[in-house]
């Protein structure tokens, strides 16, 4: 029962590969750098999805990693007799693309779900919300440098999910048939405003951190400085603007699937405190 994981060195892929290997499943991990991927013992690193597919029974599809090869890889899966496809989609996959920043970096979360649903093969689509690790990427340079985090909309709301929870649900989807035919919206256990997220990080680090709302034009400049496009920045701002009037949706699907609550954001911060630690 060989399982192929695309995007295997990524935020979701790495803990997923570890979970599958720990469960004793034979795993082929797709990475552009198979020699240096640093995967667990027993996992077979492979340089392309095409190379990994022969004999596979289940495949995890990450549209960022697959890029333009998504459709051809799924067609190969169908021809090759793969029995199950698990898509990494997103909770906002059906929203207006103008409010999906990931579209502007090439992700195709709507398409990856549609292609597995249409494949004729047993499928599961995972629809996570914002990953906890995004806040490390967006905020840790500011938190390492001082006590203020500058960004859009202090009242914007999210319910961040830790990547290991997504990976554990994905492992269940790949290893069992319990979730077949489901689109599963995955969130963390609690909704927070941006201001509350920064307070939570501050409480864990025992520092007086504060969120400071800045105008959208300044947000756009910051994203451009980080190498993102203006379209990405505008979609990010629009996505947050849509959350100002109500707390973000919290689903309990992680708990339903895994039989234990989703990991709280504060626990994730505590486990990643080095990422936010002040430069000495
Ligand atoms: N971040 C969020 O908040 C969020 C929320 C919901 C859904 N999603 C969706 O989740 C997916 C991303 O998952 P992830 O964070 O686990 O992925 P990731 O860590 O960004 O990337 C997974 C792996 O894919 C390869 N890769 C990355 N960029 C690539 C590119 N441009 N071309 C080819 N290969 C590339 C890299 O592996 P190698 O270098 O080893 O080849 C990387 O380790 C996207 O579809 C995203 O929209 C994200």
């Amino acid at each position: 029962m060989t399982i192929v994981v695309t995007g295997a060195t990524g935020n979701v892929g790495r803990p997923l590969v570890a979970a599958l290997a720990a469960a004793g499943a034979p795993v082929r991990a797709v990475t552009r750098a198979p020699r240096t991927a640093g995967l667990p013992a027993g996992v077979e690193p492979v340089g392309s999805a095409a190379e990994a597919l022969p004999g596979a029974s289940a495949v995890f599809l990450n549209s960022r990693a697959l890029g333009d090869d998504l459709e051809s890889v799924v067609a190969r899966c169908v021809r090759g007799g793969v029995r199950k496809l698990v898509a990494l989609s997103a909770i906002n996959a059906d929203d207006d693309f103008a409010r999906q920043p990931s579209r502007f970096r090439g992700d195709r979360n709507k398409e990856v779900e549609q292609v597995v649903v249409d494949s004729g093969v047993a499928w599961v689509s995972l629809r996570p919300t914002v990953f906890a690790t995004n806040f490390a990427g967006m905020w840790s340079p500011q938190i390492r440098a001082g006590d203020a985090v500058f960004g859009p909309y202090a009242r914007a709301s999210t319910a961040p999910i830790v990547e290991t929870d997504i990976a554990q649900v994905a492992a269940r989807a790949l290893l069992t048939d319990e979730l077949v035919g489901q689109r599963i919206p995955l969130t963390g256990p609690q909704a927070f405003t941006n201001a509350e997220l920064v307070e939570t990080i501050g409480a864990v680090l025992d520092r007086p951190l504060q969120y400071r709302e800045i105008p959208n034009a300044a947000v756009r400049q910051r994203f451009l400085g980080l190498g993102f496009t203006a379209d990405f920045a505008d979609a990010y701002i629009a996505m947050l603007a849509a959350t100002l009037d109500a707390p973000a949706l919290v689903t309990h699907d992680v708990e339903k699937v895994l039989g234990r609550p989703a990991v709280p954001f504060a626990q994730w911060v505590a486990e990643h405190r080095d990422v936010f630690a002040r430069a000495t």
Side-chain angles (χ1 to χ4, degrees), residues 107-121:
D107 301 347
R108 292 193 296 148
N109 295 319
K110 191 176 177 72
E111 291 85 343
V112 73
E113 179 174 282
Q114 198 58 49
V115 78
V116 301
V117 170
D118 293 342
S119 67
V121 172

Side-chain angles (χ1 to χ4, degrees), residues 17-118:
V17 165
L20 294 170
V27 184
R28 287 190 197 132
V30 182
T31 164
R32 290 168 296 183
R35 290 208 192 110
T36 54
L39 295 160
V43 170
E44 187 186 347
V46 184
S48 72
E51 221 182 306
L53 289 181
S57 58
V59 179
F60 180 75
L61 298 161
N62 178 324
S63 80
R64 180 174 298 167
L66 288 165
D68 292 340
D69 293 337
L70 168 64
E71 286 80 3
S72 65
V73 165
V74 171
R76 265 177 195 262
C77 291
V78 174
R79 284 200 305 275
V82 168
R83 289 197 313 104
K84 188 161 46 190
L85 297 170
V86 176
L88 177 58
S89 183
I91 202 162
N92 63 350
D94 294 330
D95 288 358
D96 189 331
F97 288 170
R99 281 189 277 118
Q100 292 190 46
S102 62
R103 301 275 333 164
F104 298 98
R105 55 181 304 187
D107 301 347
R108 292 193 296 148
N109 295 319
K110 191 176 177 72
E111 291 85 343
V112 73
E113 179 174 282
Q114 198 58 49
V115 78
V116 301
V117 170
D118 293 342

Side-chain angles (χ1 to χ4, degrees), residues 131-194:
F131 297 179
T133 195
N134 290 9
F135 297 98
M138 285 191 300
W139 293 349
S140 64
Q142 297 186 69
I143 293 174
R144 282 200 298 269
D147 287 338
V149 173
F150 298 90
Y153 303 125
R155 282 190 306 115
S157 180
T158 51
I161 182 165
V162 307
E163 297 70 37
T164 46
D165 278 348
I166 306 168
Q168 292 288 334
V169 174
R172 191 66 67 93
L174 290 158
L175 292 169
T176 76
D177 287 337
E178 292 164 19
L179 307 177
V180 165
Q182 295 185 44
R183 294 173 174 84
I184 308 179
L186 298 170
T187 75
Q190 190 183 344
F192 297 88
T193 64
N194 274 333

